[in-house]
Amino acid sequence: MQTPATPDIHVVHTVKQKTLADGAASPDNTARSLYADDPIKTYDNLYEKKDFGTLDYPVAVHYLDLSKSYMNRIRWHWHEEMEILIINNGLAEVSTDDAVYTLKPGQGIIINQSVLHAIQSMDHNNCTFYSIVFHPDFLFGHKSSYLHTQFLLPLQNFRLFKMFVLDENNAWHERMLDAVNDAIAVNIAKPFGYEIAAKGHLCRFWSELVGQLPNMKTAPPPHVSLDEQRVKQAMLYIRMHHAEPITLNEIADSVHISKSECCRCFARTLQMTPFEYLMRYRILEATKKMAEYPDAPMSMADLALSVGFNNTSYFNKLFKKFLGCTPTYYRTHKVLAGEVKNTGSFNVPDL
C-alpha cells in the first residue's frame, strides 16, 4: 500500500495519496486532500451526538483529534453501528470490557455492533484518526433477505468477534484497509453517486472479512457477557439520573442485582465502582456546563447542585482530584482562556 508522498498530520497514513488528491475530485473538478478545512469535522462530542449518518444513508466519516476531545479521550459508549478506526498520528488505546488494543499509524481496528468501548491517547503526543461508522443493514437490506442471513448474521453471531485489529503489513488486512480508505475518500469528495460507490467499497471490505474469519458457519450464538449487559444498563441509569441524589442501592436496583454484585460487575468491566463512575460523570457534566455558558456562568454552588452535588466543598475536592485543579481555576484558565470548547483537556481516568 502506498503512503502519502508528503506526510501531513491530517492525512490518513493508510489512505493512498492518489485516491484522495488525484482521484477524489469535487464536482467542480477541484482536487481535494485531507487538510484541516476539509468537510471532515473534528467532533469533540461525536459519540454523544450519535452523528452516524441518516436513515437513508447510515454512513458517516469523521476525522477525530483526541487533543480536542473531552479529557483527551472518548469515554465508554456503544452504538448499533459498526465502526472502523484508522490511526493517522500517534498511539491510540482502544478498550473493551475484557481487552485493550494499542494501535499505531498504519493500523486500524474494526469495532463490532453494540460493543462497549473507549478510546484514549497512549502518551502526551497528539493522536488523530479517521472513523467510519455504518449500519450493516445498509449493505444487506431487510432482515429476512438472503444476503442478510448468509453474510451478516454469521458475523453478528460470531462471539469471538468484538474487535479486530487491521495492520497494513498483512496482505489480507491491507485489502480491507484499501476498501475502507476508498469508502472514506468518496465520503470526503462526495462526487455524484458517492453513496453507491461507498456501498460498493464497504461490500468489498465485508467480502474480505467474512471470507477469512474462521468457522463462521459453525459459530456459536451471539455472546455478550452478563457483566457488560448489566453495566450498560446501569450506565444509562446513571446518565439519566446523575443530577439526582441517587444511591448505590438504586443503581443496583436498576439492573435487579445486589449492591455487592453491582460493584463486582463494574470492577470487572470498567475497573471502577458504580459510585466512582457516577462521580466522574458528574464532574464531566460540570465541565461541559462551564464550556456551554462561558458568558453567563453559574455560581459554583449552583453548578455543583445542577450535577448532583449538594455539598460545594465535596464538589471542589472531587473536581481537583480528577482534573488536577479547582473548578474556579478551570473556568478562568481553561474555559475563559479559550482552551476548552464543550470539552476538557486534562488527561484523567476514563469515564
Side-chain angles (χ1 to χ4, degrees):
M1 179 183 299
Q2 296 177 341
T3 54
T6 305
D8 183 272
I9 65 167
H10 292 296
V11 178
V12 180
H13 180 78
T14 54
V15 174
K16 300 176 182 178
Q17 184 72 8
K18 67 179 180 64
T19 301
L20 297 180
D22 302 327
S26 60
D28 61 358
N29 295 321
T30 302
R32 304 192 64 101
S33 57
L34 295 181
Y35 295 98
D37 59 351
D38 238 291
I40 293 190
K41 308 296 184 184
T42 301
Y43 282 92
D44 297 334
N45 56 349
L46 162 67
Y47 296 91
E48 187 167 295
K49 288 182 177 180
K50 297 187 181 299
D51 190 359
F52 302 144
T54 65
L55 288 175
D56 293 330
Y57 184 62
V59 179
V61 172
H62 299 284
Y63 174 82
L64 290 107
D65 181 343
L66 287 181
S67 72
K68 299 181 184 299
S69 293
Y70 180 79
M71 299 178 181
N72 295 329
R73 65 197 63 216
I74 296 168
R75 55 198 173 95
W76 290 101
H77 68 283
W78 68 96
H79 37 76
E80 293 183 1
E81 297 80 4
M82 177 173 281
E83 182 173 16
I84 307 168
L85 308 180
I86 296 181
I87 305 304
N88 171 47
N89 183 65
L91 297 176
E93 184 178 88
V94 183
S95 303
T96 183
D97 65 314
D98 57 3
V100 177
Y101 304 87
T102 301
L103 305 175
K104 60 184 180 181
Q107 292 183 321
I109 192 166
I110 306 168
I111 303 171
N112 209 349
Q113 295 175 270
S114 301
V115 171
L116 184 67
H117 60 285
I119 309 163
Q120 66 176 2
S121 177
M122 277 291 291
D123 50 36
H124 296 297
N125 296 322
N126 192 22
C127 181
T128 58
F129 59 91
Y130 283 87
S131 165
I132 181 168
V133 185
F134 66 96
H135 201 291
D137 286 351
F138 173 62
L139 307 184
F140 301 107
H142 61 84
K143 297 188 182 301
S144 60
S145 71
Y146 171 79
L147 292 178
H148 188 280
T149 304
Q150 188 74 6
F151 300 112
L152 176 56
L153 283 182
L155 190 62
Q156 291 177 327
N157 292 348
F158 190 37
R159 68 184 177 92
L160 300 179
F161 183 61
K162 282 188 173 182
M163 296 191 183
F164 191 86
V165 175
L166 301 173
D167 193 312
E168 64 182 0
N169 293 318
N170 179 300
W172 167 43
H173 295 184
E174 185 182 29
R175 293 193 298 271
M176 284 191 284
L177 286 167
D178 283 343
V180 172
N181 287 327
D182 288 342
I184 290 173
V186 296
N187 275 278
I188 294 167
K190 288 184 168 55
F192 178 76
Y194 76 94
E195 300 93 337
I196 299 173
K199 183 171 183 176
H201 297 314
L202 290 174
C203 284
R204 177 159 53 96
F205 153 78
W206 202 280
S207 176
E208 289 286 351
L209 179 63
V210 299
Q212 294 285 345
L213 287 180
N215 302 319
M216 286 190 57
K217 292 183 179 179
T218 58
H223 175 76
V224 176
S225 72
L226 186 58
D227 281 350
E228 181 177 333
Q229 292 179 41
R230 288 169 169 174
V231 168
K232 283 181 177 179
Q233 188 174 341
M235 287 168 66
L236 291 175
Y237 180 84
I238 289 171
R239 293 179 184 185
M240 183 178 298
H241 299 281
H242 71 274
E244 304 169 15
I246 60 177
T247 64
L248 174 60
N249 192 60
E250 289 170 327
I251 297 171
D253 284 346
S254 72
V255 287
H256 312 295
I257 55 178
S258 67
K259 292 187 292 184
S260 58
E261 180 61 16
C262 183
C263 289
R264 286 191 290 268
C265 288
F266 267 78
R268 289 188 292 252
T269 304
L270 303 186
Q271 292 76 55
M272 66 179 78
T273 68
F275 186 75
E276 187 176 0
Y277 180 87
L278 171 62
M279 294 301 103
R280 292 180 179 183
Y281 190 83
R282 284 173 169 173
I283 296 300
L284 178 152
E285 291 299 309
T287 62
K288 286 166 61 178
K289 288 189 176 185
M290 287 186 196
E292 287 171 2
Y293 308 105
D295 299 326
M298 290 186 282
S299 69
M300 287 304 167
D302 288 342
L303 177 63
L305 189 62
S306 73
V307 294
F309 291 98
N310 56 16
N311 185 308
T312 306
S313 296
Y314 187 54
F315 168 69
N316 291 338
K317 179 181 177 180
L318 283 184
F319 198 103
K320 187 171 184 179
K321 175 184 176 181
F322 292 143
L323 294 177
C325 67
T326 66
T328 301
Y329 182 94
Y330 185 89
R331 173 181 282 164
T332 303
H333 296 277
K334 294 294 177 180
V335 177
L336 297 182
E339 292 186 27
V340 179
K341 295 179 180 179
N342 293 323
T343 62
S345 60
F346 292 125
N347 190 16
V348 301
D350 280 333
L351 283 171

